[in-house]
Amino acid sequence: MQPVIVLADGIGAALGVPVLSCVTTTRPTTQLKNVTDPEERKKQVDGLYQVDATQTQGRSILLFDDLFRSGTTMNAITDQLLGPGQAAVVRAVTITKTRSNH
């Protein structure tokens, strides 16, 4: 199991709030950690994520991730949550931030 899921489940249990796995990918992914060009990062996540609107519509969402580098992934997922997912509000939290090469 992914450490981020274990952390999210633990935080959700401690706060008494549901943890949803409502974000999926539309195709196999590659890691972005070695992609330093911001435009290339955006290109690689374009159309990559989709959300289950039956779980997100009208809800306040806390988007949880273990690592923040450029915000590309979190921005792409947030766009899906607010757009097709029809979430009322999206807030984000990460566990750590990597050093930026730019």
Side-chain angles (χ1 to χ4, degrees), residues 1-22 62 64-65 95:
M1 181 175 276
Q2 293 278 348
V4 70
I5 295 171
V6 173
L7 289 169
D9 286 342
I11 291 169
L15 297 175
V17 296
V19 175
L20 307 173
S21 295
C22 59
L62 177 62
F64 187 83
D65 202 354
I95 298 302

Side-chain angles (χ1 to χ4, degrees), residues 2-3 8 13 15-16 19 21-22 32 38 41-42 46-47 49 56 58 64 73 81 83 99:
Q2 293 278 348
L15 297 175
V19 175
S21 295
C22 59
L32 293 176
R41 291 176 72 83
K42 288 179 187 175
D46 185 40
Y49 300 104
T56 59
F64 187 83
T73 301
L81 288 165
R99 285 189 223 166

